[in-house]
């Protein structure tokens, strides 16, 4: 595997930090749902479940940004024909996806900083938590973007991709235990939901913040999903068609 | 030099897009002309390593497009039909990003991008986001990519479709600045005439004819095109119009009210071959 690091860095920069200047309003838009749910959960639980919404909000925001990035790749493929332009170079599908993942992570930096500041104000953050939280953020970005990219690779019209993205967004950010304690649902349901990368990520965050028992199994699941979803995405990417 | 031998492409739905095409392209600029569905884009996608042929072989400067695809990608640029620059990036950033995909070093990419942006006349808008540019300017960003890459072979799939006449002429000027061999598809005959040394005419997945514009138009020498609403001898019916090719003097002598006399262009080769095949 001969990755095109130059392209990954350039794609990451241009679709990440460099794009914030012209599209900053999307950062606010993507924060609307997790911050609104933070407010609702806080009010309904009289503040008791607020730390859960803080832990899950970060995961939710990373997932939302990843879905949006996968949607952007769909637009690049179907509308802008950017993917075709790149196929005829020595850049492969992994370079292309890693570039978008890097961009998605860079794009999330302002929101990550906001959540870390909120976590600190609720005394949820320790140096160990911080490192582990960053690792979870990276893994959930790679796994989610790969999963959604794979699903959207079968879409032939951009309009359909919007509807699919909306459905996936709800599944990944609301149904998964991002805004409620994972112990509230039966284990069998939890393991079904674990197919969504946001589930192991949220469970890990709740464990790291000391809100619920730590489940190392979920770390294994998240790592496995990251590898498997990336592998699938590599093979379903419409790179050189038959 | 580009060579194709018995290239056939049948899509999964059974559509035969290319039917054993053979050709050699070695002129500076070649236009592939043909109606919608003729197989132009399929051919370009196969030559530019985006699509696998069902059978047959093709090579670019001696490199097989299937077996040595990675090496082919080093020496080609392929600008897809209706491609758009990334709308929130500037022309300069779009070109730099493309050059990084070609594994060019960042400093080298910036320098090459700046030079190419100047060449195509986008220097004044180099920092503007592409969304704010006109259609012609957007297309010129892709021509700048081709120029900056210094590739041996450049494929342009319908580079001016949808542009107004002025923008089209601007893009043509930019295309003329490309140093490598240029293969473009178009259904604007004046575009093929203005840019090419060689024309490849396709229909229904087959090559109908190939040659210099002048050579292809030899059968029409001394003739003009007469468009009439009334049937004339040896006329072709296209819609409700009858088209005939006759000597200039004869046309002027027999002109009727409502007839239109036009000079011969590549359009006429296209019309004549197209109608002959159709009926």
């Amino acid at each position: 595997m001969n990755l095109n690091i130059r392209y990954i860095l350039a794609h990451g920069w241009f679709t990440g930090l460099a794009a914030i200047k012209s599209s900053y309003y999307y950062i606010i838009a993507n924060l609307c749902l997790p911050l609104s749910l933070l407010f609702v959960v806080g009010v309904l639980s009289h503040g008791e479940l607020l730390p859960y919404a803080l832990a899950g909000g970060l995961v939710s925001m990373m997932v939302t940004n990843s879905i949006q990035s996968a949607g952007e790749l769909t637009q690049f493929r179907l509308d802008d024909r950017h993917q075709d332009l790149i196929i005829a170079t020595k850049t492969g599908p992994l370079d292309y996806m890693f570039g978008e993942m890097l961009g998605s992570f860079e794009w999330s930096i302002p929101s990550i900083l906001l959540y870390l500041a909120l976590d600190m104000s609720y005394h949820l953050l320790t140096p160990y938590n911080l490192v582990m939280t960053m690792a979870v953020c990276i893994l959930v970005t790679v796994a989610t973007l790969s999963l959604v990219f794979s699903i959207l690779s079968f879409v032939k019209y951009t309009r359909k991709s919007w509807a699919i993205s909306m459905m996936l967004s709800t599944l990944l950010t609301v149904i998964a235990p991002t805004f409620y304690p994972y112990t509230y649902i039966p284990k069998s349901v939890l393991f079904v939901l674990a197919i969504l990368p946001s589930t192991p990520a949220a469970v890990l965050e709740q464990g790291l913040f000391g809100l619920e028992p730590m489940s190392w199994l979920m770390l294994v699941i998240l790592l496995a999903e990251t590898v498997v979803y990336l592998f699938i995405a590599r093979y379903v990417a419409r790179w050189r068609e038959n | 030099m580009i060579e194709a031998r018995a290239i056939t492409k049948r899509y999964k739905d059974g559509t035969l897009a290319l039917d054993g095409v053979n050709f050699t392209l070695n002129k500076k600029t070649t236009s592939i002309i043909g109606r919608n569905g003729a197989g132009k884009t399929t051919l370009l996608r196969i030559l530019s390593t985006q699509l696998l042929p069902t059978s047959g072989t093709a090579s670019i400067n001696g490199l097989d497009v299937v077996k040595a695809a990675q090496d082919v990608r080093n020496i080609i640029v392929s600008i897809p039909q209706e491609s758009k620059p990334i709308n929130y990036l500037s022309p300069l950033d779009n070109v730099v990003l493309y050059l990084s995909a070609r594994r060019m070093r960042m400093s080298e990419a910036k320098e090459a991008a700046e030079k190419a942006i100047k060449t195509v006349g986008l220097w004044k808008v180099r920092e503007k986001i592409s969304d704010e540019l006109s259609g012609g300017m957007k297309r010129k960003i892709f021509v700048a990519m081709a120029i900056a890459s210094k590739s041996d072979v450049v494929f342009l799939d319908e580079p001016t479709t949808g542009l107004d006449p002025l923008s089209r002429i601007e893009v043509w000027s930019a295309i003329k600045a490309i140093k490598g061999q240029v293969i473009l598809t178009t259904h604007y005959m004046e575009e093929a005439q203005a840019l090419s040394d060689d024309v490849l005419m396709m229909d229904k997945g087959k090559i109908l004819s190939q040659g210099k514009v002048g050579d292809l138009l030899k059968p029409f020498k001394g003739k003009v095109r007469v468009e009439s609403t009334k049937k004339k001898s040896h006329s072709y019916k296209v819609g409700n119009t009858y088209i005939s090719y006759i000597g200039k003097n004869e046309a002027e002598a027999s002109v009727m009210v409502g007839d239109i006399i036009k000079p011969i262009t590549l359009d006429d080769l296209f019309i004549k071959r197209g109608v002959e095949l159709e009926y």
Side-chain angles (χ1 to χ4, degrees), chain B residues 241-252:
Chain B
T241 305
Y242 292 92
I243 295 175
S244 49
Y245 296 102
I246 51 178
K248 196 180 172 191
N249 294 338
E250 190 191 338
E252 282 168 358

Side-chain angles (χ1 to χ4, degrees), chain A residues 6 72 80 90-91 240, chain B residues 52 65 74 84 88 101 103:
Chain A
R6 278 187 198 120
E72 181 172 54
D80 299 349
K90 285 185 86 173
T91 293
R240 191 181 197 184
Chain B
L52 288 166
V65 297
N74 265 344
K84 297 179 197 107
Y88 54 79
R103 296 180 182 253

Side-chain angles (χ1 to χ4, degrees), chain B residues 27-29 75 146-147 150-154 175-183:
Chain B
K27 299 285 192 305
K28 167 78 176 71
T29 305
I75 59 164
I147 293 171
K150 300 181 184 98
S151 292
D152 293 351
V153 179
V154 176
I175 290 172
K176 283 176 186 167
I178 296 172
K179 293 220 162 62
Q181 187 179 1
V182 177
I183 315 296

Side-chain angles (χ1 to χ4, degrees), chain A residues 93-114:
Chain A
L94 275 182
D95 304 314
Y96 188 60
M97 283 188 290
F98 283 150
E100 190 70 20
M101 284 163 192
L102 181 62
S104 180
F105 192 83
E106 288 178 13
W107 180 263
S108 303
I109 287 173
S111 311
I112 292 174
L113 292 175
L114 173 70

